[in-house]
Amino acid sequence: MSESASATPRRPGEAALASLGYAAPADDPADASPHAFPDGGRWRTEIPSVEGPEALHAVLKEAAQLGVPVHRVSQGSGVWMLTDAEITEMVDACAQAGVELCLFTGPRGTWDIGAGTRTLSGGAGLRARGQSAVAGCVEDALRASELGVRCLLVADEGVLWVLSRLRASGVLPADTTFKVSALVGPVNPAAVAVHEGLGADSVNIPSDLTLEHLTEIRRVSRVPLDFYLEAPDDLGGYVRMYDAAELIRRGAPIYLKFGLSKAPGIYPYGAHMRDVTLDTARERVRRGRLALDLLARLGSDGHMAAPGSRLPGPLRRFPSPETASPESAAPAVPAPTSPDATRP
C-alpha cells in the first residue's frame, strides 16, 4: 500500500477536469466517518460466495498470487449444506491463512414452502418462517460453533436476536460475530441502529444507497458496514469501483465486498455447480485486485485494517433478559392497581 500517497488522496480525473473548469467542490470534513476498527484501520476486505473447501482453496491461492489481502470469506448456501469434514477443513484453512470464515445459518424463506417469496412483492424474503425455521438456524449456529466457526451470517431479525441472547448467556462463544445478509439489509439510519442493538457485528447495506446515506448512518451507528463494490445481479448488479475511496471515507469501518455481476446464481451449491463456482471465486479475487489498484492510484489505499483482524469493537446493544438487571427488566408501564385504572 502507498501509505505516503494516502495522506493526500485525489479524486478520479481531478486535475484534468479542473483544467477544463469542471473542478468539484472540496470534500466536507463533516461527511467523514469518525469511526474505525479497533486497530485504527478503516476498511477490510471480503470475498463472498465461497461455498465450500474447494472454492476456499481457490480463493486463497488466487489471493496469494495476486497479492490481495483477504480479511473475511463468506458463504451463502448455509451451514446445513456442508458436512462436518468440509466445515472443519474450511476452519483450518482460514485459521492458517489468518482469514475469518463466515457461514450462513439455516432455513430461509426463499427455500421454504411458502408462496409469498415467489410473488412480485417477494413476500417476507429470506426471513425464517415459523418456529421450526428459527430452530433450524439455531441448530446450524450451534453445530458450526462446535466445529470452530466464529462468524455467522443471518437473514432474520428474530434469529439475530435469539443468537445474540445465546451469545450473551454463554451458549455461543463470546467472540462469535453476527453478520446481517445483504438480502435483508437495512436502508436507513434507524434500521441500522436497530440491527446493531439486536446483536449485529456487521451489517450488509444495499449497494444502491448513496454516499449521503452512508454519512447519515454514521451519525447514529458505528457498526461495521458490508458493501458490495460490485453486486450480484439479484442485488442489482451495481458496479461502484470508483466510489471505493469515498465509501471508505464516509462509511468506515467498512468491508469492501468483491461481488460479481453477470454471473449465475450458485445457491444452494452442489457439485453440479462446481466449475462456475470455482471460476467466479477466482474472478472475485481479481475484482479485488482491480479495486485495490484503483485505490492505490488515487492515494486512498492507506488505513486498511491489519490482516487477521476480525472483531468489530464496542457496539451498542439492547439489554437482553439474560444480561439485564432486575430494574431494567421491569415493565415500562406499571400494572394497574385498581379496576378503575384499566378504564379509558
Side-chain angles (χ1 to χ4, degrees):
M1 296 192 303
S2 55
E3 289 290 349
S4 59
S6 67
T8 56
R10 64 176 180 84
R11 299 179 182 183
E14 186 172 40
L17 288 171
S19 71
L20 301 176
Y22 297 126
D27 289 333
D28 185 348
D31 292 339
S33 170
H35 307 298
F37 287 108
D39 64 357
R42 292 177 61 78
W43 56 290
R44 294 173 178 166
T45 62
E46 178 179 337
I47 305 294
S49 302
V50 181
E51 297 308 292
E54 193 173 13
L56 173 61
H57 292 309
V59 164
L60 296 178
K61 180 179 179 180
E62 194 76 1
Q65 289 178 343
L66 298 181
V68 176
V70 177
H71 291 83
R72 181 166 70 188
V73 296
S74 55
Q75 175 247 19
S77 296
V79 173
W80 57 342
M81 299 300 296
L82 294 167
T83 66
D84 285 5
E86 289 171 330
I87 294 174
T88 299
E89 183 176 348
M90 296 179 78
V91 168
D92 291 345
C94 283
Q96 184 175 355
V99 174
E100 182 174 39
L101 172 65
C102 188
L103 301 183
F104 218 132
T105 51
R108 60 198 79 161
T110 48
W111 299 349
D112 207 337
I113 59 175
T117 59
R118 279 75 168 173
T119 66
L120 292 178
S121 71
L126 272 73
R127 288 174 174 83
R129 289 165 42 89
Q131 172 80 3
S132 61
V134 174
C137 291
V138 170
E139 182 69 20
D140 269 2
L142 296 174
R143 174 175 167 240
S145 173
E146 291 172 356
L147 293 171
V149 177
R150 290 296 179 267
C151 182
L152 298 167
L153 216 163
V154 298
D156 182 278
E157 295 87 346
V159 170
L160 175 59
W161 180 234
V162 167
L163 296 183
S164 179
R165 290 174 63 184
L166 292 175
R167 177 175 60 185
S169 65
V171 176
L172 289 173
D175 64 343
T176 303
T177 58
F178 305 126
K179 166 182 164 65
V180 174
S181 168
L183 293 170
V184 296
V187 293
N188 63 69
V192 171
V194 166
H195 281 80
E196 178 184 358
L198 290 172
D201 297 289
S202 73
V203 176
N204 205 134
I205 58 174
S207 296
D208 63 347
L209 292 190
T210 66
L211 297 172
E212 290 74 18
H213 288 149
L214 267 69
T215 295
E216 292 169 354
I217 289 169
R218 281 297 170 235
R219 289 174 183 149
V220 303
S221 173
R222 69 161 308 278
V223 67
L225 301 177
D226 307 332
F227 198 96
Y228 275 106
L229 283 187
E230 181 175 349
D233 289 342
D234 61 356
L235 293 177
Y238 313 105
V239 182
R240 299 188 64 174
M241 288 283 191
Y242 273 108
D243 282 337
E246 191 68 359
L247 289 169
I248 294 170
R249 189 178 81 88
R250 291 176 180 252
I254 191 169
Y255 284 85
L256 298 183
K257 291 182 64 175
F258 308 129
L260 201 60
S261 63
K262 302 298 181 287
I266 57 174
Y267 307 154
Y269 170 74
H272 61 302
M273 300 293 294
R274 177 180 182 273
D275 290 344
V276 68
T277 299
L278 296 181
D279 288 344
T280 53
R282 286 186 285 264
E283 184 58 27
R284 288 183 179 90
V285 178
R286 179 178 170 274
R287 294 294 215 268
R289 183 68 265 165
L290 296 177
L292 295 177
D293 289 347
L294 172 60
L295 287 170
R297 288 195 299 273
L298 298 176
S300 298
D301 59 333
H303 307 294
M304 176 191 282
S309 60
R310 56 174 295 269
L311 296 178
L315 297 172
R316 287 180 290 188
R317 307 301 197 194
F318 298 138
S320 70
E322 290 73 28
T323 59
S325 64
E327 292 79 9
S328 63
V333 179
T337 56
S338 70
D340 289 341
T342 62
R343 293 176 184 171

